Amino acid sequence: GSAVTVSEGYRFVCWVDANGSEVGTDAEYLPSRGDDGLWHSGTYTANIVPIGYEIAFDANGGEGEMDNMQMTYDVPANLTKNAFMRIGYTFQGWATEPEGDVAYEDAQEVVNLTAEDGGTVTLYAVWEPVVFTVTFVMPDGTVLDEQHIPYGEDAAAPENPTMEGHDFIGWDCEFTNVTDDLTVVALFEGVPVMTGSTYGKTGGSDAGMFAGITALLLAAGGTAAYGVRQRRRGEREDAE
């Protein structure tokens, strides 16, 4: 008789004779006896094949769909290119657990991720938030503080600045839920604020800027009018 030993990543299917005909599916094979009681001689071969498994892709906080990959043990293949998206984040690669580090790069060649026949290996997208710069400045553009804030998080106001002869009354815009580079200008009673384009960065919203200017004009008794408007990056600055 014969017994088969199967290597990891493979499975036994059956025994076949010299003609390729299946003669048994048990791991141990004992040839049959003839009418004369003697064992039939012959060559019998174990049919052993590599296992098959799947790779599943988890967006892990992102959006979109990706089909599972069908894999065969000992046969390398490139991972399907990432099709998930996540606003405010960049894709870094694939991890083997939701909070894990990158184990495989996008479209990397992989092989033998599991030896379980019919198993499923799940890979999780790894995301890194885009980081924006929030710059706090004085009305003349002097930088008070510069912070690097991940997408959707809040900046923290620096210590209230001072200006001789003028009271600090706040900041010209909100700096919570940051989704872009931002310039935040300190507001002082009776002091005009230069346009955001003067600082070379995208500043607060028009609404925030005009609210600040309104406060300044009120503080000045409405006797002065300043041609102040927040400009977005790349916008032409015309004379007011």
Side-chain angles (χ1 to χ4, degrees):
S2 299
V4 63
T5 299
V6 181
S7 300
E8 181 179 70
Y10 288 78
R11 62 183 179 87
F12 169 75
V13 178
C14 63
W15 292 97
V16 296
D17 61 19
N19 297 320
S21 298
E22 181 180 320
V23 295
T25 57
D26 293 334
E28 294 186 4
Y29 178 67
L30 189 65
S32 60
R33 294 177 182 269
D35 294 336
D36 55 5
L38 299 177
W39 297 104
H40 288 173
S41 63
T43 299
Y44 302 97
T45 303
N47 183 12
I48 298 172
V49 297
I51 60 101
Y53 62 95
E54 289 186 332
I55 299 176
F57 301 94
D58 190 303
N60 201 22
E63 298 179 348
E65 295 183 357
M66 291 182 65
D67 293 333
N68 290 2
M69 283 184 65
Q70 304 300 317
M71 298 289 291
T72 300
Y73 199 82
D74 270 348
V75 179
N78 291 91
L79 293 173
T80 304
K81 188 172 180 60
N82 173 53
F84 297 133
M85 296 183 63
R86 187 175 180 183
I87 296 175
Y89 290 77
T90 57
F91 176 74
Q92 300 298 302
W94 301 102
T96 57
E97 53 188 32
E99 302 299 326
D101 295 328
V102 172
Y104 306 105
E105 297 178 358
D106 196 15
Q108 179 178 328
E109 183 180 86
V110 297
V111 65
N112 300 349
L113 298 192
T114 182
E116 178 186 355
D117 188 22
T120 299
V121 175
T122 301
L123 299 182
Y124 299 87
V126 178
W127 303 99
E128 182 173 301
V130 177
V131 176
F132 298 104
T133 300
V134 177
T135 307
F136 293 85
V137 300
M138 293 289 281
D140 64 357
T142 301
V143 175
L144 298 168
D145 188 25
E146 185 175 272
Q147 301 175 19
H148 302 287
I149 308 300
Y151 176 89
E153 296 189 13
D154 301 341
E159 182 178 351
N160 290 348
T162 59
M163 180 182 290
E164 185 176 355
H166 300 276
D167 292 331
F168 172 72
I169 58 176
W171 303 98
D172 75 317
C173 65
E174 296 291 331
F175 37 87
T176 58
N177 189 28
V178 175
T179 59
D180 199 355
D181 289 340
L182 191 65
T183 296
V184 184
V185 185
L187 300 177
F188 292 87
E189 185 177 354
V191 178
V193 181
M194 302 298 291
T195 62
S197 59
T198 300
Y199 312 126
K201 293 180 180 286
T202 302
S205 66
D206 289 344
M209 176 63 75
F210 285 123
I213 299 308
T214 299
L216 292 175
L217 292 177
L218 290 174
T223 59
Y226 300 103
V228 180
R229 180 169 70 85
Q230 186 64 28
R231 293 184 174 84
R232 299 187 182 279
R233 185 184 294 114
E235 184 178 354
R236 187 169 64 88
E237 183 176 356
D238 296 322
E240 300 289 350

